[in-house]
């Protein structure tokens, strides 16, 4: 495994920590700055919005720069944002620190995925992306309990100092271990990636890119819409106590780690089939979860499977959109933005279902419906991609005949 991949995974771990740990620190932060719970919650929603914006704006602005330099700059931005949070004298500064840290999130994973796949052989590109995202999935498991533990013992500022340290480690690793030309030199099967904003935007003329982005938004949105209210499902339907929610979320996080690694390996063998199976599995899991939510045993098993199927498609989705976009970094950033837009849509739809009185299992069914739509979109994309490959194969013998005919003085050329 290239050491550069491990450096990218450490960066992903740090970014994941700063995204998730705040959930366990909100009461302390709200008390420290004397703000309401709703105002403290904007430290989460403001972060998510900044991720969606930064993924597009920063990726577009840095399209012509060497990707290693961009990654270094993004991690520096991440470190500065968390440092600002650690020393924030008041709530507005804290919010700005969260926004600054979030701006690098989408671009780091978008550009980092292109760098990761360039560090390995073409047949291992999805696994390379999975290694980079392993840091994010591990952070999902550890983020909330880490923030709660450190905050309880040393105060919430200590948690942000710890994340700042992780960022510095990632920065040192990327500088030392990621090759200077990573992501710029094409592999044996990849074309040279486009540079410049116009060339990057040209990638969005591909219908396959848009189908993949829509499938990403619907798939993520369905899972996140269900996950946003999963604590209520556990306590109000499954009969778990509030104290049980933390370890149940860790079970979900372990599922994310497992799904990420399995999905990356499977996508290298048959990517579109892996994506269809992952989305179909998530659809079934969410629907069955809604039916069996009253069973504590079934809830534990199903929340684990929710994590497995929910993240099994992530490496394949990213390599698919970047392949269809001919390696355009802006498309990779757009994929991160699509997932965050889907998250917002899913959380809104799940909350609406609860508000109108459909109960705390309703977000699971809403999520299943969104992911089912993602299955349909992905099926169309896979079928069109298969048809295009078939047409290429049918024309190959004729193209070969024409080339041989020209090489023989024109004989045989129609």
């Amino acid at each position: 495994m290239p050491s550069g991949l491990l450096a990218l995974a450490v960066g992903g771990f740090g970014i994941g920590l700063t995204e998730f740990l705040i959930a366990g620190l909100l009461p302390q932060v709200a008390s420290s700055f004397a703000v309401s719970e709703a105002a403290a919650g904007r430290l989460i929603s403001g972060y998510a919005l900044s991720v969606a914006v930064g993924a597009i704006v920063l990726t577009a602005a840095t399209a012509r720069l060497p990707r290693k330099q961009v990654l270094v700059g993004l991690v520096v931005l991440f470190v500065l944002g968390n440092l600002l949070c650690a020393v924030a004298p008041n709530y507005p500064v804290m919010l700005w620190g969260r926004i600054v840290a979030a701006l690098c999130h989408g671009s780091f994973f978008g550009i980092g995925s292109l760098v990761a796949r360039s560090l390995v052989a073409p047949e291992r590109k999805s696994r390379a992306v999975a290694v980079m995202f392993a840091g994010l999935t591990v952070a999902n498991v550890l983020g909330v309990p880490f923030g709660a533990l450190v905050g309880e013992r040393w105060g919430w500022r200590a948690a942000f100092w710890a994340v700042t340290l992780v960022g510095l480690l990632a920065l040192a690793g990327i500088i030392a271990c990621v090759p200077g030309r990573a992501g710029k030199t094409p592999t044996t099967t990849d074309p040279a990636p486009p540079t410049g904003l116009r060339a990057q935007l040209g990638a969005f003329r591909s219908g396959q890119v848009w189908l993949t982005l829509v499938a990403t938004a619907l798939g993520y949105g369905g899972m996140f819409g269900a996950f946003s209210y999963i604590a209520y499902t556990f306590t109000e339907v499954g009969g778990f106590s509030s104290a049980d929610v933390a370890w149940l979320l860790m079970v979900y996080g372990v599922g994310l780690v497992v799904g990420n690694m399995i999905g990356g390996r499977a996508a290298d063998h048959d990517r579109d089939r892996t994506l269809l199976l992952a989305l179909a599995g998530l659809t079934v899991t969410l629907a069955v979860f809604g039916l069996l939510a009253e069973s504590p045993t079934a809830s534990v098993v199903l929340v684990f499977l929710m994590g497995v199927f929910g993240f099994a498609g992530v490496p394949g989705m990213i390599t698919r959109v970047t392949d269809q976009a001919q390696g355009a970094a802006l498309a990779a950033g757009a994929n991160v933005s699509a997932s965050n837009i889907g998250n917002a849509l899913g959380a809104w739809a799940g909350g609406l279902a609860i508000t109108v009185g459909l109960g705390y299992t309703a977000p699971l069914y809403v999520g299943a419906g969104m992911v089912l739509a993602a299955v349909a979109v992905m099926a169309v994309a896979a079928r069109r991609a298969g048809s295009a490959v078939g047409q290429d194969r049918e024309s190959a013998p004729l193209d070969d005949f024409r080339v041989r005919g020209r090489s023989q003085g024109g004989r045989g050329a129609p």
Side-chain angles (χ1 to χ4, degrees):
M1 183 185 298
S3 57
L5 276 182
L6 297 179
L8 292 173
V10 173
F13 176 69
I15 290 175
L17 273 183
T18 200
E19 178 180 15
F20 300 122
L21 65 79
I22 188 65
L25 298 173
L26 279 185
Q28 292 186 42
V29 173
S31 175
S32 178
F33 292 133
V35 298
S36 67
E37 291 83 354
R42 285 194 281 274
L43 297 173
I44 296 177
S45 58
Y47 184 97
L49 180 61
S50 297
V51 170
V53 173
I56 298 296
V57 174
L58 288 184
T59 304
T62 58
R64 290 187 177 274
L65 299 178
R67 286 177 179 167
K68 178 177 179 177
Q69 291 183 17
V70 175
L71 287 176
V72 169
L74 291 173
V75 177
V76 168
L77 196 65
F78 169 78
V79 170
L80 291 176
N82 282 284
L83 183 61
L84 197 59
C85 290
V87 301
N90 52 51
Y91 173 79
V93 174
M94 178 74 176
L95 181 59
W96 275 111
R98 291 287 291 171
I99 291 172
V100 170
L103 287 173
C104 78
H105 184 127
S107 290
F108 180 87
F109 284 111
I111 295 172
S113 65
L114 295 174
V115 171
R117 60 182 285 169
S118 74
L119 298 177
V120 299
E123 65 273 13
R124 298 176 64 87
K125 58 189 177 184
S126 291
R127 272 173 279 187
V129 172
V131 170
M132 187 192 71
F133 272 88
L136 178 65
T137 58
V138 171
N140 196 298
V141 178
L142 300 178
V144 175
F146 171 83
L149 177 64
V150 173
E152 181 68 26
R153 180 160 297 189
W154 295 292
W156 64 267
R157 294 182 187 275
F160 285 97
W161 280 113
V163 175
T164 301
L165 178 60
V166 173
L168 290 173
L169 291 175
L171 180 62
I174 290 172
I175 292 173
C177 301
V178 174
R181 294 290 298 172
K184 282 292 186 182
T185 304
T187 65
T188 55
T189 60
D190 293 335
T195 58
L197 183 57
R198 180 174 297 181
Q200 296 269 331
L201 291 173
F204 292 93
R205 289 196 293 265
S206 168
Q208 285 287 347
V209 168
W210 285 106
L211 287 171
T212 309
L213 292 177
V214 171
T216 295
L218 291 172
Y220 266 99
M223 181 180 72
F224 195 78
F227 177 75
S228 297
Y229 305 95
I230 200 70
Y232 294 104
T233 306
F234 286 141
T235 58
E236 302 298 326
V237 182
F240 291 97
S241 68
S242 299
D244 290 325
V245 172
W247 70 262
L248 288 166
L249 293 181
M250 291 188 70
V251 171
Y252 168 78
V254 172
L256 294 180
V257 175
V258 173
N260 177 56
M261 301 312 296
I262 292 176
R265 184 173 294 271
D268 280 331
H269 291 287
D270 191 330
R271 186 169 57 201
D272 282 359
R273 179 176 293 181
T274 298
L275 295 177
L276 284 169
L277 289 175
L279 291 170
L282 181 58
T283 302
V284 173
T285 297
L286 292 175
V288 173
F289 201 166
L291 294 172
L292 302 181
E294 293 182 357
S295 168
T297 302
S299 294
V300 174
V301 174
L302 289 166
V303 78
F304 172 76
L305 292 177
M306 182 176 160
V308 172
F309 287 116
F311 224 83
V314 170
M317 281 293 190
I318 289 193
T319 56
R320 190 180 203 281
V321 77
T322 50
D323 277 350
Q324 298 296 338
Q326 305 298 310
L330 191 58
N335 195 70
V336 179
S337 289
S339 66
N340 279 271
I341 291 170
N343 290 351
L345 177 62
W348 172 80
L352 181 62
I354 293 174
T355 301
V356 299
L358 297 180
Y360 288 113
T361 59
L364 291 165
Y365 294 120
V366 171
M370 289 183 67
V371 182
L372 182 60
V375 173
V377 173
M378 192 63 235
V380 171
R383 183 172 181 178
R384 289 185 178 180
S387 298
V389 170
Q391 291 172 2
D392 290 342
R393 288 174 178 169
E394 290 173 4
S395 64
L398 178 58
D399 292 339
D400 182 59
F401 176 73
R402 288 171 174 166
V403 170
R404 285 187 285 108
R406 286 193 295 270
S407 69
Q408 295 170 9
R411 293 189 305 273

